């Protein structure tokens, strides 16, 4: 079922799949760096409460985000 978000003037469902790749596909993402990225994403959602980060995942050379942005 589609999860709709309601604001005072609109209803929306905008999910974005964002992939961030390192330069030259260098393998830099390990569990420590990924934990730091998740911490920083939590800070972003504190300052912008309408942005919801639904899923975050990583591999050695890229990050995946599923984000809902109004």
């Amino acid at each position: 079922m589609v999860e709709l978000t309601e604001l005072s003037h609109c209803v929306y469902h905008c999910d974005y799949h964002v992939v961030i790749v390192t330069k030259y596909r260098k393998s830099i993402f390990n569990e420590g760096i990924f934990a730091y990225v998740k911490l920083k994403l939590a800070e972003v959602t504190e300052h912008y409460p309408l942005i919801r980060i639904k899923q975050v995942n990583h591999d050695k050379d890229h990050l995946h985000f599923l984000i809902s942005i109004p």
Side-chain angles (χ1 to χ4, degrees):
M1 186 169 163
V2 176
E3 182 181 322
L4 298 175
T5 305
E6 298 179 15
L7 294 177
S8 62
H9 63 285
C10 65
V11 175
Y12 67 91
H13 174 76
C14 297
D15 286 342
Y16 298 96
H17 179 222
V18 180
V19 179
I20 298 176
V21 181
T22 60
K23 189 172 183 176
Y24 304 119
R25 289 279 190 167
K26 288 192 177 187
S27 301
I28 62 167
F29 293 113
N30 56 23
E31 292 302 320
I33 293 176
F34 183 63
Y36 179 75
V37 168
K38 286 175 71 172
L39 180 70
K40 290 300 170 183
L41 288 173
E43 288 182 14
V44 169
T45 57
E46 285 178 13
H47 294 289
Y48 301 100
L50 292 178
I51 295 176
R52 289 185 297 136
I53 299 170
K54 294 183 174 184
Q55 289 183 346
V56 181
N57 206 343
H58 76 289
D59 200 8
K60 296 179 294 187
D61 58 357
H62 64 277
L63 297 170
H64 287 269
F65 303 107
L66 183 61
I67 303 173
S68 176
I69 302 173

